Amino acid sequence: MPVTVLIADDEEAMREQLHARLLEVWPEVEVVALASNGIEAVEMANRYQPQIAFLDIRMPGMGGIEAARQLYDRCHIVFATAYDQYAVDAFEHGAIDYLLKPVTAERLATTCERLRRRLEKAPQDIGAQLAQLGSLLQQGTAPKRNYLRWIQAQVGGSLRMVSTREILFFQSDEKYTRVQTATAELLIRKTLKELADELDPDEFWRIHRSTLVRVDAIAEVSRDLRGRQMLRVKNYPQELEVSRNHSHLFQQM
């Protein structure tokens, strides 16, 4: 018998990605409904009676926490979140599982294994954990801004979704912005200024008027014979120049 699943996320790309990866790691799954907010999730759950609901925590109209309060007594709940700062404590008891976006196949496989065991029993009473998580959200523990987590790049006749975690750096020219990963170079039309406004400043630093680099991709910074700061990123052979206006990022040099 198929395992019936509902997926709720306000980003279509996230719904489709989770749908596809679920089928890869758990072929017996049948996704019976895709919802774009909590209100739709509750309505579709009433109609299709899924055994499992994957709910994004932050959605317009009604978020995942509010939807879960109406669903947890009839289906098993898994939350998806772009933030782990506030989620871990609320999920420590193990009654609720969560996925950190962007969802990896390895993490999803672990979640599915737990769900297989839980399906042997009725859904647990997780009202207390939902109240705790809701309280944390109301107190403002969760970040209030949703930073850009995915880049859409046209590749031939198809659209490719690239997680910001895969990107080493962005570099702009007059017409396009280059997106460099460890394995590919893509071009997008979004300007570097737009990217700087939409990306998490703790994740990406501007090192030059034409370059944004992912902080945890930085391997080392050195000076060349002309005294310029030159930055080397992991899994990429060429160095990137750090302009004088941004040299304060590496003050110890």
Side-chain angles (χ1 to χ4, degrees), residues 102-157:
V103 178
T104 65
E106 182 180 5
R107 179 68 178 86
L108 184 58
T110 300
T111 296
C112 289
E113 185 57 38
R114 293 173 183 167
L115 287 167
R116 286 187 181 94
R117 295 194 296 268
R118 288 179 186 165
L119 285 172
E120 298 173 0
K121 303 177 183 178
Q124 297 183 49
D125 184 347
I126 56 174
Q129 288 91 336
L130 291 175
Q132 179 188 2
L133 186 54
S135 176
L136 288 172
L137 289 169
Q138 290 177 0
Q139 292 169 12
T141 306
K144 291 183 172 58
R145 180 169 178 186
N146 292 325
Y147 290 109
L148 188 65
R149 300 293 176 186
W150 293 87
I151 299 295
Q152 297 183 3
Q154 194 76 28
V155 180

